[in-house]
Amino acid sequence: MRMTMSHIGCRLEAGRVAGLAAGLAAGLAAGLATGQHNVAPIALSGSPIAALPAGVVIDEFQTFNAAGGFAPELANDGTIIFPALLTGTGVNTTNDTAIFVGSAGEPLRVLARSGDQAPGFPDGVTLDLISTGVLGKDGSIRFESFAITPDGIERVLYITDDAGVPTPYLYPSVAAPGFSDGTQLFLKEVWSINQRGAIIGSGSFREGGFGSTSVPVVFIDDPDAGLSIVHQQGQPLPGVPAGVDTEFVYPGNNVLTESGHTCFLALLEGPGVNRPNETAIFRKLKGQPLEYIARSDDPVPDAPEPVIRFP
C-alpha cells in the first residue's frame, strides 16, 4: 500500500492517542491505589445549575459552531470554559446555546447565552453565539457571536475585560489605502488565535460604522506587533497579472504560526481567471510584504502531473 500523508498522520495520531490513554490509565491506577485523587463533576446534564433560570438545564455538552466538535478549555489556574446546548422552560432555537465559565472554588457562571442582550450594543440587539471560546494566557476569554440588529447581522469578537465582562473588540483605527485616517476595521471572521493571543481573520474597512460601505481585508492583530493588513481587496496582489484580485479567502485554509507568519489560500477573480487557474496560495512573513507562492495551473517541471491542482 502506498503510504500517504493522511495515512502517516492517522498512524501518528493513533499512536499519540494510545500513548496518552496508557498514560492516563497508569496515572488513574496510581491515584486509585494510593487514594490520592480528586475527581469531581463540573456540571451534569439534566441537573439544575444556579447560573441558569429555574427549569432550564444543560441538554448536551457539545459545541454549536459550524466546525463541530466539543471543545472545553482548561487553564493552569483551574479556570474552565465549555459550550453547551440547553433545554427546558422557555428554551427555543434562539436561546438554546451558552458558554459557561468556572474557576477553582467558585460556582459556574454563564459567560454568554444566545438570545441575551449583546454587550456593547443598543438595547434590543441580541447574541447568536457561533464559537465556543478561547482562553488567553492573560486569563481573558475570546469568543465570537453574531449580533442581531434591526439593520442586519454583525459578526463580533468579544474579549472579557479585567472584571470578566465580555466587551466587543473593535480593532484599532488605521490609515487604510483609499480611506481617510482613523478608518475603523470591523470583524467578519476570526480564523485562528495562537497561544500568544495573536489573531488572523477577515474583516472590512468602514468609515461610517456598522452598516456602512466596506472593503474586505485579511488582517493579523498581534499583541506584540499590533495590527497589520495582510491584504486589502483592490490593492495589487504579488505574482498575478494587474487587475486580478481575491474574490474570497478560504477561512479553513490558512496558518498563523507562533512567530506571526501566515499563509492562506484564495479564490481569484479578474482578467484571465478561469476555473483551472482560479486559486492561489500567498504567504506573509512577519514584517515582510505579501508573497506569491503558487497558483492552480502553474507548471510543475519534471513532475508526473504537469500543473498544480488544488483539491
Side-chain angles (χ1 to χ4, degrees):
M1 179 179 98
R2 191 178 76 170
M3 186 68 73
T4 65
M5 288 303 292
S6 61
H7 290 119
I8 293 170
C10 288
R11 290 195 175 189
L12 288 174
E13 183 67 16
R16 190 173 71 86
V17 171
L20 177 61
L24 289 173
L28 181 58
L32 292 173
T34 61
Q36 296 177 352
H37 60 277
N38 183 19
V39 179
I42 300 298
L44 298 173
S45 59
S47 297
I49 295 178
L52 293 173
V56 178
V57 296
I58 291 175
D59 183 23
E60 296 180 51
F61 294 99
Q62 66 178 38
T63 188
F64 35 81
N65 63 6
F70 172 48
E73 291 211 7
L74 181 67
N76 289 334
D77 65 359
T79 300
I80 187 172
I81 60 173
F82 63 88
L85 301 179
L86 308 178
T87 188
T89 305
V91 176
N92 54 50
T93 55
T94 67
N95 62 10
D96 64 350
T97 55
I99 299 172
F100 292 86
V101 59
S103 301
E106 297 182 3
L108 285 175
R109 63 184 178 91
V110 176
L111 177 67
R113 178 180 174 184
S114 289
D116 284 354
Q117 170 67 37
F121 284 82
D123 290 347
V125 176
T126 57
L127 295 173
D128 183 8
L129 299 175
I130 54 174
S131 77
T132 56
V134 175
L135 275 166
K137 285 187 175 180
D138 59 357
S140 64
I141 299 172
R142 296 163 168 81
F143 67 91
E144 287 183 88
S145 178
F146 289 126
I148 311 301
T149 76
D151 298 322
I153 297 175
E154 291 290 346
R155 192 161 185 155
V156 185
L157 175 68
Y158 281 98
I159 299 181
T160 55
D161 59 19
D162 292 341
V165 177
T167 303
Y169 185 50
L170 299 179
Y171 293 89
S173 295
V174 294
F179 286 84
S180 60
D181 289 349
T183 296
Q184 195 75 50
L185 174 62
F186 284 76
L187 174 72
K188 180 182 178 185
E189 292 178 306
V190 170
W191 295 339
S192 179
I193 305 175
N194 68 19
Q195 287 299 306
R196 293 189 302 104
I199 296 166
I200 182 172
S202 61
S204 58
F205 284 138
R206 308 183 194 183
E207 291 182 302
F210 288 115
S212 61
T213 302
S214 62
V215 172
V217 295
V218 177
F219 69 91
I220 293 175
D221 194 21
D222 190 294
D224 300 325
L227 182 74
S228 62
I229 302 304
V230 178
H231 174 61
Q232 176 183 331
Q233 197 172 78
Q235 297 298 306
L237 274 174
V240 298
V244 174
D245 202 349
T246 53
E247 178 182 359
F248 178 77
V249 176
Y250 295 94
N253 292 274
N254 58 81
V255 174
L256 179 62
T257 70
E258 292 302 301
S259 300
H261 309 316
T262 187
C263 66
F264 61 88
L265 181 69
L267 181 68
L268 304 177
E269 63 178 356
V273 176
N274 51 43
R275 185 64 180 269
N277 67 10
E278 66 183 357
T279 51
I281 295 177
F282 297 91
R283 176 179 67 182
K284 188 178 188 304
L285 302 181
K286 188 174 182 179
Q288 301 297 317
L290 188 67
E291 300 175 77
Y292 171 89
I293 299 299
R295 180 177 176 181
S296 55
D297 226 27
D298 277 356
V300 183
D302 303 321
E305 181 71 26
V307 295
I308 291 175
R309 290 282 184 262
F310 294 117

